[in-house]
């Protein structure tokens, strides 16, 4: 009996280690629509830490429109702070006015982000209000240049085991 319990525990721990920590699913999957590529938590997978950095990667394809604003809605137990840096993959920083209202962070860019860019959004000093386990979801929306309509572009899933 103890041998069966031991093997069951080893199997369960092995499966827990093999499950990836983050996911990002674009809504609609199209090469011409801006979409979320990934979400990474740093340090990764530590549920007891209170202050973290969450990094989003967003693709703005060549066939897409330029982005004027980016809206990030945090999960229930996450508090966003105005310490958010936005850059492209090459490291060039984008000037963005950041405003936080409740769980929503709005990033308004001084210059629209042009198609063909991969945006990296580093949300520094993100605070967890409680020990986190399970799945947490960030909802990501955008306002394209020349419009006033907020369109969802994806959901980034954070899984803490």
């Amino acid at each position: 009996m103890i041998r069966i319990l031991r093997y069951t525990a080893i199997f369960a721990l092995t499966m827990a280690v093999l499950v990836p920590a983050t996911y990002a699913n674009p809504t609609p999957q199209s090469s011409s629509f801006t979409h979320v590529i990934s979400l990474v938590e740093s340090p990764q997978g530590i549920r007891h830490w209170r202050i973290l950095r969450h990094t989003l990667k967003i693709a703005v394809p060549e066939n897409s429109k330029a982005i004027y604003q980016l809206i990030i809605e945090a999960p229930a137990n996450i508090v966003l702070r105005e310490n958010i840096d936005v850059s492209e993959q090459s490291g060039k920083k984008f000037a963005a006015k950041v405003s936080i209202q409740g769980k929503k962070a709005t990033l308004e860019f001084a210059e629209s982000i042009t198609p063909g860019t991969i945006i990296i959004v580093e949300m520094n000093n993100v605070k967890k209000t409680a020990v986190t386990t399970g799945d947490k979801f960030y909802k990501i929306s955008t306002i394209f240049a020349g419009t006033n309509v907020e369109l969802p572009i994806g959901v980034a899933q954070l899984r803490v085991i």
Side-chain angles (χ1 to χ4, degrees):
M1 183 67 175
I2 293 176
R3 180 180 260 171
I4 293 172
L5 288 174
R6 185 179 305 147
Y7 288 125
T8 304
I10 290 170
F11 176 75
L13 289 173
T14 302
M15 294 308 295
V17 169
L18 295 176
V19 174
T22 59
Y23 301 92
N25 297 315
T27 349
Q29 299 202 4
S30 169
S31 62
S32 65
F33 195 78
T34 301
H35 58 276
V36 177
I37 298 172
S38 66
L39 169 67
V40 177
E41 180 179 74
S42 179
Q44 200 170 36
I46 301 175
R47 58 183 146 158
H48 297 289
W49 282 37
R50 297 282 181 161
I51 306 297
L52 302 158
R53 180 177 58 209
H54 288 171
T55 304
L56 275 169
K57 202 180 257 190
I58 300 169
V60 184
E62 288 290 340
N63 301 340
S64 179
K65 292 183 179 180
I67 292 181
Y68 169 67
Q69 281 186 2
L70 192 64
I71 299 99
I72 302 168
E73 189 174 341
N77 70 326
I78 300 289
V79 176
L80 296 176
R81 306 225 174 121
E82 290 187 9
N83 187 358
I84 298 176
D85 298 319
V86 184
S87 62
E88 64 177 317
Q89 209 163 16
S90 68
K92 176 189 166 200
K93 300 262 184 198
F94 292 111
K97 178 184 169 195
V98 178
S99 60
I100 308 282
Q101 290 184 329
K103 295 288 177 194
K104 234 181 215 186
T106 303
L107 289 75
E108 185 175 335
F109 300 107
E111 294 180 20
S112 296
I113 297 184
T114 58
T117 306
I118 294 183
I119 306 169
I120 298 171
V121 180
E122 293 179 349
M123 297 175 280
N124 302 304
N125 299 326
V126 170
K127 182 180 178 187
K128 289 183 183 177
T129 57
V131 175
T132 302
T133 57
D135 297 332
K136 304 298 175 202
F137 299 96
Y138 276 94
K139 296 175 188 169
I140 317 299
S141 303
T142 189
I143 297 177
F144 292 107
T147 67
N148 288 328
V149 179
E150 183 179 325
L151 294 172
I153 60 169
V155 175
Q157 178 181 1
L158 177 66
R159 176 176 284 175
V160 181
I161 301 171

